[in-house]
Each structure stands twice: as structure tokens, then as C-alpha cells.
Amino acid sequence: MHTLGNTTPSSDYILALDLGTTGNRAFVFNADSKIVGQAYKELTQYYPQPGWLEHDPQQIWQDTCWVMQTAIGNAQIAPSAIAALGLTVQRETCLIWDKTTGKPLHRAIVWQDRRTAPLCHQLQDQGYANEIYDRTGLIIDAYFSATKLRWLLDKFTDVDLNNVLAGTIDTWVLWNLTGGIHATDHTNASRTMLMNLKTCDWDEKLLELFQIPAHILPQIQPSLGVFGVTDATLLGAEIPITAILGDQQAALFGHGCDRPGLMKCTYGTGSFLVAHTGDQIVRSHHQLISTVAWTQANLRGTLDVGYALEGSMFTSGACIQWLRDRLKLIKTAAESEAMANQVTDNGGVYFVPAFSGLGAPYWDMSARGAFFGITASVQPEHLVRAVLEAIAYQVLEVVQAINASSSTPVGRLTVDGGACENNFLMQFQADVLGIPVERPIMRDTTVQGAAFAAGLAVGFWESYEALVQQRQIERVFEPGSDAPLSNFATWQKAVKRTLAWE
Ligand code: ADP
């Protein structure tokens, strides 16, 4: 792997930041890629209207500072001993801010937010779907940033745009970390619906379509490479920022999925199945999106681009949070496993997790969540079990779409993310897929991927293969013989009834 130079002997650590949907975390890794310090802070979720979700960018920035300082403190190391910082973030979530005061003009609009569905329907009706898919690899949906940015700019029509900057969360935090560098990487840019997947640059036609002035957008840079250094007043040292990746791409990197045939599934707020497709843009024709895996400048001075196919399912672990916080059926997310195991089946209950519409493979912004099949004998345990089963059925549908798009069927699924802790879910997933599900010891693959990328980019580590080979498998869930596939057909029937609801 091409590196940017050698680190000084005193640089013994890598700092990685994972700024996720539900919380922000920082990890300090040593040269053996072991975690020596970490910190986490949950992020406030704002729901101003049904289907809307916002984050406070100032809180994201303050919590970023807190988790960095706390993780470094826990590790009991000097900030000057950190060779590089890797940054991975929730994708698509975007904001605009005043470049003089540094103040956001509005809360960030989160990827799950559906407020721009009417604009998306309008674009579909106007016949833009094929052109947008061709240019960006994406399916028109409120999920991606372009319509969110349009919404924000429409709200502030009287503001002088020469004084406004726009960006996804990586760009916002990089700008604050460095005291004013306005950049992003190709993985995050590929999720805005404004980047051309072939040229890897902002697409002029799309900027015109969405009326986004190019000067408010960040410069797009390789995912592995120098973005700048942290302002010395923040941590007491200037730490080079040498990798930026969207969270799913960071997990792909962390799992070692660097070539065709390798894929991973992350079960976090949503579930994201991502398959590397090499240096080729693969078009699925089965409602999967084509996106950037990661990029790096090579020794010839040109760009190495890895592409990926992705099935994005918007709501999975978030349903467990909903069972805990809103329905109060469980006290902790982990309790869902014991509850599901208390019943022998789902009691005829099926759940559709369409809280924010449905992503792959339906892409229906108007679908809404539902329980089906409820009778007087249904217990809370059945509801919890139905929710976990639905998370697995969603992934099964996307694996089927990947298999339909490729000549080699998926043989094994590598997993990570909060909900992969759930043994019931993982076993059920293996049963319905009919293939082994492999869970690594290190579950925070996203943050690990950001650390690997930052360390490799700066020459702190030399071999990607060696880093990947060091990773250990904690458990393999083998498929059982009694996979309840007839239930899958019933679940699909339930999904159909939730489509075009709103
Ligand atoms: P994100 O990066 O999207 O913020 P995480 O990977 O941190 O998400 O995972 C958090 C999600 O995982 C939450 O939605 C939570 O409900 C879910 N989760 C955590 N533990 C479990 C568990 N044991 N069973 C099921 N879901 C879980």
C-alpha cells in the first residue's frame, strides 16, 4: 500500500474517531492494533416532526473534543505520541454553516430524515431517475444529501452564500479540527448525490439540477491521504488527519474486504450490506446502489478507486432502541435476545421496520412500519422476536439481490455493529441465509477501519494484509437445518402491505 512517509519513533499510537448516528466514539490503538483507550458519548436525537430527524452540529463537535480528550486520557499517553488520526462518520447527514462565525445555520438533517420525499417524487416524475443513477450510482431517495442541502438553502434564501459552507459530518468536524480546511473524501462525497461516480468529482449537471453553488461544497480528496493537522490548541499537538471514510466504507476496510467476492454486513441503526467490486463500477439492476469503497492516490499521482455495491436498510438496531425507549418492552437492547428465546416461534407476528420508509431493495419513501398477524394470544416476547426476525429478513432480501447481480453466490457473511451482539439474531440470520455468519472478536470494525486506514496512509503500519490477518473470529453461526423459509414469504407479504402508505 502506498504510504505518505515514515512516522517519528515517538509516534506510537493511532487515534480513530467514529462519529455515528447514535453516538460519537474515539479509540486509541497501539502499534499492535490493540485498543489502549476509548470514550463514547450518546448523541441527542431531535424529532421535530414525524419522519424528520436532526442532530445538533455543535454537540457533535463538542462531543468529538470530549471523546478525543477522554480516550487519550484513558490511554495515559501524550497527544504528541499519536502518529495520525482517522475519521469515520455517519454518511449523508449534512449541514450548512457560516464560515465567519463557524455557527451552523440550522441543525444537521440526518440521513434517515424523510422531509425531502416530495422533492424526490417530483424528480422521479420529471424522469431524472436513470440519469441520476447513471451519474451517481444512487437511486433517488430522501436518504442522500442533495435534496437535504436544497431544503436547507431554500430555508435561508436571504443569506449571502459567499459566507456559507456546506458539508457532511466529516467536513464539519475536519473544518473544526483544522481551523478551516474545507474538504471531504470520495466515500462521503459519493453519498451526496452530487458526485459523479466515474470522474469522482462534483457533477456540474447535478449541481445545476439541485441549484447547489459549487463554491459552498468541500474539495473532494482521496480517503487515505493527508487532509490537514489538528489545531495544536485542541489536544496540545498537531496530529495529521490521514484518513476519512464513510462509516460503512470504514467497516468494509476494517473487515479486509478489498476485492470482489468479499462483503460485510453492519447491524447498527440500520443494516448495511456492502460488497467490494474492485476497480469497476458494477450496476446491480436489483435496486442496489453503486458507490465508492475507498480511494487513494498512487505513486503515479493518479487515483486508485475501489467501488462497491451496497444494500442500505435504514432501520434495524433502531427498532430495538424503539422497543426499549418507546414501547418499553425491554430495559436494555441485550434483553431482546433473552425475550426472543423465551418463545419457540414468532406466534404468527410479522414486523416491517419501515420507520423511515424502506431502502434496499424497495426504495419506498412512503412505506411505514407495521406489526401484522396479531391475535389475542400474542405476548410481548412474540413482538420482540418478530422485530429481530425482520432485521434478518431484510438482510436476506439484499443478499438475494446481490446473488442475482453476481455470478458467484455469497458464501459467508462477515458481521459487525451493535446488533450483531445478539446471538438469537445472528443464529436466525445464518438459518434463513443458509450460509455461515462470522462474527469477529473486535466488533467496532468501523472505528478499526478508520484506524487501519489512517495508520497505513502515514506508514505507521506497512501491510494491510497483515493487519487484516491479525483479526480474530469470535464465533461462526452455522446455518441450522430447519430454516423457516415459508415465514420469509409471509414477511414479504407484510412488507407489500406497508408500501406507499403515506
Ligand atoms: P450506529 O453506528 O448506527 O450508531 P451501533 O453500531 O453503535 O450503531 O449500534 C447501535 C444499535 O445496535 C442500536 O440501535 C441498538 O439498539 C442496537 N443494539 C445494541 N445491542 C444490541 C443487542 N444486543 N441486540 C439487538 N440490538 C442491539
Side-chain angles (χ1 to χ4, degrees):
M1 185 164 283
H2 170 43
T3 60
L4 302 163
N6 290 323
T7 53
T8 61
S10 63
S11 303
D12 294 330
Y13 304 96
I14 296 292
L15 176 64
L17 281 170
D18 174 9
L19 311 181
T21 311
T22 51
N24 298 304
R25 43 171 67 90
F27 279 54
V28 180
F29 291 82
N30 67 13
D32 296 329
S33 68
K34 297 268 176 322
I35 297 157
V36 293
Q38 58 178 292
Y40 174 78
K41 197 152 199 180
E42 197 161 325
L43 181 65
T44 312
Q45 312 289 313
Y46 295 92
Y47 298 97
Q49 291 185 29
W52 294 29
L53 176 56
E54 297 175 352
H55 287 160
D56 175 3
Q58 300 280 30
Q59 187 192 0
I60 293 177
W61 169 237
Q62 280 153 16
D63 290 356
T64 298
C65 294
W66 185 84
V67 292
M68 282 194 301
Q69 285 155 359
T70 309
I72 292 170
N74 288 345
Q76 298 185 308
I77 59 163
S80 56
I82 298 172
L85 188 159
L87 174 62
T88 177
V89 295
Q90 52 164 317
R91 308 171 302 173
E92 299 97 11
T93 301
C94 58
L95 69 149
I96 54 176
W97 67 95
D98 180 309
K99 77 172 164 199
T100 310
T101 64
K103 289 218 172 81
L105 272 66
H106 192 274
R107 283 202 289 244
I109 305 183
V110 179
W111 55 275
Q112 291 157 300
D113 190 292
R114 306 278 92 190
R115 78 186 63 185
T116 59
L119 174 54
C120 292
H121 286 135
Q122 195 185 320
L123 291 165
Q124 284 163 344
D125 293 345
Q126 289 168 338
Y128 283 109
N130 285 342
E131 185 175 2
I132 288 181
Y133 177 65
D134 186 51
R135 288 175 183 273
T136 65
L138 308 178
I139 290 164
I140 296 176
D141 193 277
Y143 173 37
F144 303 106
S145 321
T147 57
K148 300 182 199 289
L149 277 180
R150 186 64 255 146
W151 188 94
L152 285 167
L153 293 175
D154 282 342
K155 193 155 175 81
F156 296 96
T157 44
D158 50 343
V159 167
D160 175 10
L161 288 185
N162 288 317
N163 201 36
V164 167
L165 296 176
T168 39
I169 297 302
D170 56 310
T171 302
W172 164 245
V173 169
L174 179 73
W175 191 81
N176 282 290
L177 280 170
T178 57
I181 291 176
H182 191 224
T184 187
D185 90 298
H186 290 106
T187 65
N188 282 293
S190 76
R191 319 295 300 189
T192 58
M193 209 181 248
L194 297 170
M195 193 193 88
N196 187 301
L197 205 54
K198 290 173 212 147
T199 65
C200 284
D201 212 342
W202 299 122
D203 185 296
E204 274 176 33
K205 264 201 107 172
L206 294 177
L207 295 188
E208 199 182 301
L209 175 66
F210 290 101
Q211 292 175 26
I212 311 274
H215 68 84
I216 70 167
L217 292 174
Q219 191 187 351
I220 313 178
Q221 293 182 199
S223 318
L224 280 71
V226 177
F227 287 85
V229 295
T230 59
D231 187 326
T233 56
L234 285 173
L235 298 169
E238 289 188 341
I239 303 171
I241 300 155
T242 58
I244 295 184
L245 292 152
D247 50 9
Q248 302 311 321
Q249 283 87 343
L252 193 71
F253 195 89
H255 276 292
C257 300
D258 65 343
R259 54 191 179 275
L262 298 180
M263 72 190 63
K264 64 88 202 177
C265 187
T266 300
Y267 299 78
T269 301
S271 293
F272 297 88
L273 205 134
V274 187
H276 203 288
T277 59
D279 58 5
Q280 301 296 315
I281 301 174
V282 172
R283 306 275 179 178
S284 98
H285 308 296
H286 293 277
Q287 302 277 73
L288 302 174
I289 57 177
S290 307
T291 197
V292 172
W294 58 83
T295 61
Q296 187 176 21
N298 57 38
L299 289 171
R300 299 181 303 282
T302 56
L303 192 67
D304 284 338
V305 186
Y307 290 100
L309 264 184
E310 174 174 321
S312 336
M313 296 148 269
F314 302 143
T315 313
S316 64
C319 304
I320 306 297
Q321 234 165 332
W322 172 74
L323 290 176
R324 186 193 66 184
D325 300 340
R326 306 272 169 165
L327 293 200
K328 301 196 189 302
L329 288 184
I330 47 176
K331 286 202 187 63
T332 62
E335 220 177 280
S336 61
E337 179 179 332
M339 270 187 92
N341 279 323
Q342 275 164 31
V343 283
T344 50
D345 57 28
N346 62 14
V349 180
Y350 292 86
F351 177 69
V352 184
F355 290 180
S356 328
L358 286 169
Y362 297 97
W363 296 99
D364 184 336
M365 290 173 280
S366 313
R368 286 296 175 269
F371 277 111
F372 286 90
I374 294 183
T375 60
S377 62
V378 163
Q379 304 161 206
E381 289 81 1
H382 292 126
L383 301 182
V384 172
R385 185 167 171 136
V387 169
L388 289 168
E389 290 186 357
I391 295 173
Y393 287 142
Q394 286 194 106
V395 171
L396 169 59
E397 276 197 316
V398 169
V399 168
Q400 288 181 340
I402 293 214
N403 283 342
S405 316
S406 144
S407 50
T408 327
V410 179
R412 175 174 282 255
L413 194 66
T414 313
V415 299
D416 68 292
C420 92
E421 297 298 330
N422 193 301
N423 295 320
F424 170 84
L425 173 62
M426 292 299 106
Q427 185 57 56
F428 190 78
Q429 187 71 84
D431 291 346
V432 295
L433 285 173
I435 57 171
V437 169
E438 190 179 280
R439 186 168 68 184
I441 288 181
M442 167 63 175
R443 309 277 218 277
D444 289 294
T445 317
T446 305
V447 78
Q448 190 181 39
F452 284 178
L456 288 162
V458 82
F460 179 80
W461 289 304
E462 270 160 25
S463 163
Y464 179 50
E465 292 70 29
L467 284 173
V468 169
Q469 270 171 16
Q470 274 172 25
R471 299 179 73 244
Q472 290 171 334
I473 303 305
E474 181 256 345
R475 184 162 167 187
V476 178
F477 295 87
E478 295 291 345
S481 52
D482 55 346
L485 267 186
S486 60
N487 291 5
F488 176 52
T490 313
W491 179 78
Q492 286 185 305
K493 186 166 88 178
V495 172
K496 297 224 160 55
R497 296 197 180 181
T498 69
L499 299 178
W501 182 264
E502 279 267 305

